């Protein structure tokens, strides 16, 4: 069946996986794993994905499936009372626009590294560090140009709609991303350090695991599965009801996890091969890797280009998913045309992105610092530490206490056994809210 505003089953899986697989997997997961010492963190992360991430993913999916509407309407329609005030839960979709603002800036940096990879890569850590520092703190024109290219591409894709825009770009880019990563994995397999990377990622060093590591794992599980933003809810609203959304959701979580682990193995093999530190932090991809690639001559250049192109592909498919909840909101609730909604939401995130990038530059950082954080960090903090956890708590409490259990049971058991439903319901009602509330209060320094 061809529905213009609906995904096909495979289209949904690829688009949701495209949303999930992003900078969070290839850039962030390896460096956070590195910072927390490897194996033990990976194990905690896998548990967080399985018990908490997947549970909330299914929660968003079931709301979207049931209501087949924008986020605000979906809450109202799914609630037991049909109380109109549930529309305020729709606030969560603004996180997507805010995240997209700085995500587009970071994607712009990566794009600039694609171009740099065609030329000469820095050959030592000092030069590489200085080049990155110059880009983000001084080179305003270049950053705006790259951000404009990224934002323009996102707008161009979403203007075409779910089927012709989002589904199609994912059908093209996701297999390409998979191929590039497979190629890089095969190459790292030939390196002596591959086995060191495997044991780093899979033999647990429990001494590094403390409360912070647990929270980082949980936060990462959320971010990587695109939760707490209304994205999964919105995508599921465009998934025909006869599709098994539980199976599709599990597939997405598996693909996302497999890609994070693959990216980790590739990056740690490269780092260990060059004798570099695994705990280099956020600069790992922008500073440590280019130096390693530069030491490998022509082959290094090919690997560098492939690697940064893979990051761009992964990032673009995530970026389009961040804006879609807002577009659907304006289209469904206010009868806006897709064009009008895209112009409004597109220019909002584009301008916010410029504020974010300016706030990192030496010229404007002072005037764009609020409450001790520059605008870039503030947007990151407000979304990942405040709005996304709040949205996740709200979603769990909503489903556990304000929605008819029979309704949920009916939707689930059309596809899976009652036992699976009961496990999910228990997790969503009791376990997951407690875990996230703990994360939330701890991140805010209250606990
Ligand atoms: N899951 C994406 C990543 O790992 O990079 C980030 C993301 C995408 C977050 C979409 C939120 C979202 F709505």
């Amino acid at each position: 069946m061809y529905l213009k505003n609906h995904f096909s089953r495979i289209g949904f899986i690829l688009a949701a996986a495209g949303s999930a697989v992003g900078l969070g997997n290839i850039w962030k997961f390896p460096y956070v794993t590195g910072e927390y010492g490897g194996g033990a963190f990976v194990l905690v992360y896998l548990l967080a994905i399985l018990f908490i991430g997947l549970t909330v993913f299914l929660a968003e999916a079931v709301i979207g499936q049931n209501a087949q509407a924008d986020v605000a309407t979906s809450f109202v329609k799914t609630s037991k009372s049909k109380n109109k005030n549930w529309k305020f839960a729709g606030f969560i979709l603004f996180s997507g626009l805010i995240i997209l603002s700085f995500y587009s800036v970071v994607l712009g940096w990566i794009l600039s590294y694609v171009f740099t990879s065609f030329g000469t890569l820095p050959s030592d850590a000092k030069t590489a560090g200085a080049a990155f520092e110059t880009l983000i703190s001084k080179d305003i024109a270049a950053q705006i140009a790259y951000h404009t290219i990224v934002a323009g591409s996102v707008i161009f894709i979403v203007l075409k709609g779910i089927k012709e825009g989002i589904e199609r770009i994912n059908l093209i880019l996701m297999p390409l991303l998979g191929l590039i990563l497979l190629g890089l994995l095969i190459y790292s397999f030939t390196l002596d350090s591959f086995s060191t990377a495997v044991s780093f990622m899979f033999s647990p060093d429990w001494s590094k695991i403390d409360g912070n590591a647990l929270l980082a794992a949980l936060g990462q599980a959320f971010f990587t599965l695109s939760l707490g933003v209304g994205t999964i809810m919105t995508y599921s609203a465009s998934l025909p009801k006869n599709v098994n959304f539980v199976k599709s959701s599990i597939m997405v979580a598996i693909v996302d996890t497999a890609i994070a682990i693959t990216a980790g193995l590739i990056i740690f093999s490269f780092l260990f091969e060059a004798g570099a530190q695994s705990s280099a932090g956020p600069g790992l991809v922008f500073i440590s890797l280019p130096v390693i690639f530069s030491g490998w001559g022509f082959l290094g250049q090919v690997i560098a280009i492939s690697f940064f192109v893979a990051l761009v592909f992964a990032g673009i498919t995530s970026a389009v998913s961040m804006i879609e909840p807002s577009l659907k909101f304006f289209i469904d609730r206010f009868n806006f045309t897709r064009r009008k909604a895209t112009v409004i939401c597109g220019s909002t995130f584009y301008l916010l992105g410029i504020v974010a990038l300016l706030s990192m530059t030496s010229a404007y950082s002072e005037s764009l610092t609020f409450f001790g954080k520059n605008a870039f960090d503030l947007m990151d903090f407000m979304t990942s530490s405040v709005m996304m956890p709040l949205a996740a708590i709200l979603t769990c409490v909503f489903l556990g206490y304000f929605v008819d259990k029979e309704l949920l049971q009916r939707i689930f058991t059309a596809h899976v056994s009652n036992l699976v439903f009961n496990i999910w319901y228990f997790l969503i009602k009791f376990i997951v809210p407690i875990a996230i509330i703990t994360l939330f209060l701890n991140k805010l320094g209250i606990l």
Side-chain angles (χ1 to χ4, degrees), residues 87-311:
K87 68 172 181 254
F88 292 110
F91 82 90
I92 68 179
L93 49 83
F94 293 112
S95 310
L97 282 188
I98 302 175
I99 299 174
L100 181 52
S101 314
F102 61 84
Y103 204 84
S104 170
V105 173
V106 178
L107 256 178
W109 299 343
I110 294 168
L111 194 58
S112 87
Y113 274 71
V114 172
F115 294 119
T116 312
S117 306
F118 280 97
T120 322
L121 285 162
S123 57
D124 61 90
K126 207 162 153 232
T127 324
F132 182 57
E133 184 58 30
T134 305
L135 173 70
I136 63 170
S137 71
K138 297 205 171 55
D139 212 340
I140 296 177
Q143 285 197 84
I144 292 188
Y146 290 120
H147 168 57
T148 306
I149 298 175
V150 173
S153 314
V154 170
I155 290 170
F156 177 76
I157 295 165
V158 294
L159 260 181
K160 291 186 178 296
I162 289 274
K163 192 91 191 168
E164 303 292 325
I166 296 181
E167 177 165 323
R168 179 168 296 174
I169 196 77
N170 278 289
L171 283 175
I172 300 170
L173 295 189
M174 289 304 284
L176 284 177
L177 170 67
L179 275 181
I180 298 179
L181 289 178
L182 187 67
L184 292 173
L185 183 68
I186 292 173
Y187 177 69
S188 46
F189 204 61
T190 65
L191 301 173
D192 292 339
S193 54
F194 185 77
S195 54
T196 324
V198 172
S199 59
F200 178 72
M201 282 188 71
F202 296 109
S203 46
D205 171 3
W206 291 108
S207 68
K208 292 262 173 55
I209 297 298
D210 55 9
N212 283 338
L214 296 181
L215 296 171
L218 194 52
Q220 176 64 14
F222 262 88
F223 188 76
T224 193
L225 289 177
S226 309
L227 301 172
V229 180
T231 286
I232 301 305
M233 209 179 286
T234 302
Y235 273 14
S236 309
S238 300
L239 177 69
K241 284 202 176 190
N242 57 352
V243 175
N244 185 337
F245 75 97
V246 182
K247 217 161 116 189
S248 307
S249 303
I250 294 173
M251 294 271 290
V252 173
I254 292 176
V255 170
D256 184 71
T257 308
I259 292 199
I261 301 281
T262 305
L265 287 174
I266 293 170
I267 289 177
F268 289 123
S269 303
F270 289 176
L271 287 176
F272 295 145
E273 191 71 13
Q277 288 295 324
S278 58
S279 56
L284 196 150
V285 158
F286 295 109
I287 300 169
S288 315
L289 286 184
V291 177
I292 297 173
F293 296 146
S294 130
W296 290 348
F298 178 68
L299 181 64
Q301 192 158 18
V302 174
I303 293 178
I305 295 167
S306 321
F307 179 78
F308 288 115
V309 166
L311 262 174

